[in-house]
Amino acid sequence: MKALQGTGVSMEWEPPKIRHSQLLNSLEHNHVDEPGDVWSPLEIGAWKPCTEVDRSQSLPPENTVGYLQVFLEGGLNQQRMGICDAVAVAKIMNATLLLPYFGVNRVWQDTSSFEEIFDVDYFINALKGIVKVVTELPEEYSWSTREYYGTGIRVTRIKDAPVHASPSWYLSSVLPILQSYGIVAIAPFSHRLGFENIPLEIQRLRCMVNFHALHFVPAIKYVGDAIIQRLRQSEPEQIFNSSFERHQEKLHASYNSKFLALHLRFDKDMAAHSGCDFGGGKVELLAMSKYRRVVWAGRGINSHLSMEKLRELGKCPLTPEEVGLTLAALGYNNRTKIYLASFTVYGGEARMSIFHHLFPFVTNKTRIAREEELQPFNGKASMLAAIDYYVCLHSDVFLSASPGNMHNALLGHRAFENRGNTIRPDMVLLSRLFANESMQWPEFKSRVLQGHQNRRGQVRLRQSKQSIYTYPAPDCMCKSES
């Protein structure tokens, strides 16, 4: 039997005690049939995608001003947003965009490139007549490389682009360099274009890139489709059975069951960065502190807040135990098929035991896909993340245990395509409920259901400074007249 990710034993922590035993002991109805509405698709109302760009009015001149290079860091979803912003900045400056360069991820040491994840030809053709994209520079600019910019101060490199810069900043601070030298490189390039006071055509261009131009390569879609088919056309016992691979040809072709995709988001990197206490004792706290010093150079989000205050404000990611209790309260039971889209779970099986007790039919790509299907992706964390993204996008229900880039990206993408329930956990509410050690299951379930009635993927209008990739309405979605 293939082991689930994260089942290894960690030596950096003491096995935590059950933190919510009162709720677990009073959970009496988790084995009843699921209510039908837990799978019911939402009515998106009058909203529909609206990202058409008038190519006849947007054709670039025969000769653009010059070449724009961007160097992207972070994981798949941060890179995805960076690509969309790069296209927008190229449009703003009338530049030719060189296919964005993906830096080696410092956490996973991943070397996945743009070409390995996204369909380059489709990307270039989708932008034809809007923004010119090339896969390599002319010989005269062959010196403009990542290595060149890493060995000294270069006049053609912008390294201090403001976070959420305005279009006018690019026109005044970057365009003159582009005009003078014919090329400009922006590194780092992450969150370097704002969301306020952006022309509507640029906003819609960003959405068009994100939701239309960025297609995964066929190899990723093939494995993703195979996983989705096996999830839908099998009974829960088939997925969990150790001989599942040998019987994949016996799937029910006419069977179409539902599944929930869960991004557990409980890897070591996240746990350390959050600054929270997850019950692993002093050993774990010391390990987390060391990890922050080594990997994050001592930085952490909200490091000025105490661990108690972080949890009270809902800034601590949900533990696997808490995720299991939340899903049970929302109506899912021990027959629910769950696809786990997550990197290695920090703490392994000891941290997952309660979750597996509540939801025994949990699988992931390493269990449900054949070894030969995943072999081309070995050592490629971003390509593997792309498979998870694809399966999550097409799932009946998606839930991320805490906000993050994947949560935000899928929240927007699923809303844009009306892909069904996308549960947004109310972190403040859940933190307060879990802090009440005397609460019984009926009250907990009632409070969770009530608190999440309007957090199941309904189209939400983007507010000031919010990301267009998370909230594509109203910039990139229109209300139909009918």
Side-chain angles (χ1 to χ4, degrees):
M1 179 184 296
K2 291 183 180 180
L4 286 177
Q5 289 176 315
T7 55
V9 177
S10 171
M11 302 303 292
E12 297 180 336
W13 61 304
E14 303 163 8
K17 299 177 182 178
I18 295 175
R19 306 190 84 179
H20 308 293
S21 56
Q22 182 70 27
L23 283 176
L24 285 165
N25 291 335
S26 62
L27 197 170
E28 300 173 348
H29 304 292
N30 191 45
H31 295 267
V32 300
D33 292 337
E34 297 164 333
D37 58 355
V38 300
W39 300 111
S40 299
L42 293 169
E43 292 293 334
I44 198 170
W47 290 101
K48 64 177 183 178
C50 192
T51 59
E52 289 298 318
V53 178
D54 188 348
R55 296 171 190 267
S56 65
Q57 301 298 319
S58 303
L59 292 174
E62 187 67 23
N63 297 311
T64 56
V65 176
Y67 294 90
L68 169 65
Q69 282 181 284
V70 296
F71 298 93
L72 305 179
E73 297 178 350
L76 171 69
N77 296 294
Q78 188 171 332
Q79 291 168 338
R80 186 185 188 103
M81 291 183 283
I83 294 167
C84 300
D85 286 350
V87 171
V89 169
K91 177 66 176 175
I92 289 168
M93 298 192 300
N94 188 27
T96 294
L97 176 66
L98 178 67
L99 210 63
Y101 173 88
F102 289 4
V104 176
N105 189 287
R106 62 179 177 176
V107 176
W108 299 292
Q109 295 300 304
D110 177 48
T111 59
S112 300
S113 64
F114 186 108
E115 299 93 323
E116 290 177 301
I117 299 173
F118 299 108
D119 188 323
V120 174
D121 291 338
Y122 190 94
F123 180 73
I124 292 174
N125 289 331
L127 292 171
K128 190 173 183 179
I130 304 172
V131 172
K132 186 177 180 181
V133 181
V134 296
T135 57
E136 58 183 22
L137 292 171
E139 183 64 29
E140 62 183 299
Y141 295 114
S142 61
W143 49 265
S144 186
T145 65
R146 181 67 170 174
E147 292 71 27
Y148 171 75
Y149 292 113
T151 56
I153 298 175
R154 310 296 184 184
V155 69
T156 53
R157 176 189 175 185
I158 303 293
K159 62 183 299 184
D160 57 353
V163 173
H164 295 161
S166 66
S168 61
W169 182 86
Y170 282 98
L171 293 174
S172 62
S173 301
V174 182
L175 183 58
I177 297 175
L178 186 64
Q179 292 170 326
S180 296
Y181 297 94
I183 191 168
V184 66
I186 307 178
F189 190 82
S190 177
H191 308 296
R192 288 316 195 261
L193 181 63
F195 298 106
E196 303 308 311
N197 301 314
I198 306 293
L200 182 60
E201 66 176 89
I202 297 298
Q203 295 285 60
R204 290 189 171 176
L205 174 59
R206 294 161 94 178
C207 288
M208 190 273 275
V209 176
N210 191 37
F211 302 129
H212 295 305
L214 286 176
H215 275 209
F216 291 128
V217 295
I220 289 173
K221 294 170 69 175
Y222 173 82
V223 176
D225 285 332
I227 290 173
I228 293 167
Q229 179 192 30
R230 292 163 196 168
L231 284 164
R232 294 205 185 283
Q233 297 180 3
S234 61
E235 296 285 355
E237 289 83 359
Q238 283 183 284
I239 293 177
F240 194 71
N241 192 293
S242 61
S243 61
F244 176 68
E245 283 192 65
R246 297 197 299 273
H247 296 286
Q248 286 179 3
E249 69 277 7
K250 297 182 180 180
L251 299 178
H252 305 290
S254 61
Y255 191 64
N256 186 19
S257 66
K258 311 288 188 180
F259 74 94
L260 179 148
L262 168 65
H263 184 222
L264 197 51
R265 201 167 181 257
F266 207 80
D267 56 81
K268 185 176 181 179
D269 188 62
M270 177 285 308
H273 195 240
S274 71
C276 297
D277 177 12
F278 299 106
K282 292 182 179 179
V283 177
E284 180 181 79
L285 292 177
L286 288 172
M288 291 291 95
S289 178
K290 179 181 178 181
Y291 189 89
R292 279 193 292 273
R293 289 197 306 272
V294 174
V295 176
W296 292 102
R299 300 188 305 275
I301 56 174
N302 303 306
S303 56
H304 61 289
L305 298 174
S306 67
M307 292 183 180
E308 292 77 13
K309 194 64 176 179
L310 285 172
R311 192 160 293 279
E312 178 186 335
L313 294 175
K315 295 185 179 297
C316 291
L318 299 175
T319 66
E321 177 187 340
E322 291 167 342
V323 174
L325 288 166
T326 301
L327 285 174
L330 289 170
Y332 301 96
N333 67 14
N334 67 341
R335 297 287 299 168
T336 299
K337 288 189 289 188
I338 295 179
Y339 178 81
L340 188 62
S342 186
F343 200 63
T344 303
V345 175
Y346 180 60
E349 181 56 33
R351 264 219 167 92
M352 288 293 293
S353 59
I354 296 298
F355 185 86
H356 285 152
H357 172 72
L358 295 173
F359 298 99
F361 299 117
V362 179
T363 191
N364 63 18
K365 57 183 173 289
T366 63
R367 184 187 189 91
I368 198 170
R370 299 186 180 99
E371 289 185 9
E372 61 269 23
E373 290 174 331
L374 292 179
Q375 193 279 330
F377 309 109
N378 285 345
K380 299 285 188 175
S382 289
M383 296 181 75
L384 290 169
I387 294 173
D388 280 341
Y389 186 100
Y390 186 84
V391 175
C392 290
L393 178 62
H394 294 84
S395 65
D396 300 284
V397 176
F398 172 73
L399 180 143
S400 181
S402 59
N405 286 331
M406 186 166 180
H407 165 92
N408 294 338
L410 281 164
L411 185 68
H413 205 154
R414 286 172 63 88
F416 185 83
E417 296 189 3
N418 191 21
R419 287 285 182 178
N421 292 334
T422 306
I423 302 169
R424 295 185 306 112
D426 187 330
M427 302 298 288
V428 174
L429 169 66
L430 291 171
S431 293
R432 292 173 180 172
L433 295 181
F434 285 126
N436 187 339
E437 297 181 0
S438 63
M439 183 172 290
Q440 297 292 308
W441 181 254
E443 181 184 359
F444 176 80
K445 180 175 182 178
S446 175
R447 295 280 298 277
V448 171
L449 284 171
Q450 182 179 12
H452 289 83
Q453 284 182 347
N454 296 316
R455 303 179 71 90
R456 292 177 175 264
Q458 295 90 342
V459 173
R460 293 164 56 89
L461 300 186
R462 187 179 70 86
Q463 303 300 308
S464 176
K465 298 184 179 180
Q466 287 183 331
S467 170
I468 198 170
Y469 307 121
T470 307
Y471 303 102
D475 306 71
C476 304
M477 298 184 76
C478 308
K479 276 201 168 185
S480 60
E481 298 299 327
S482 56

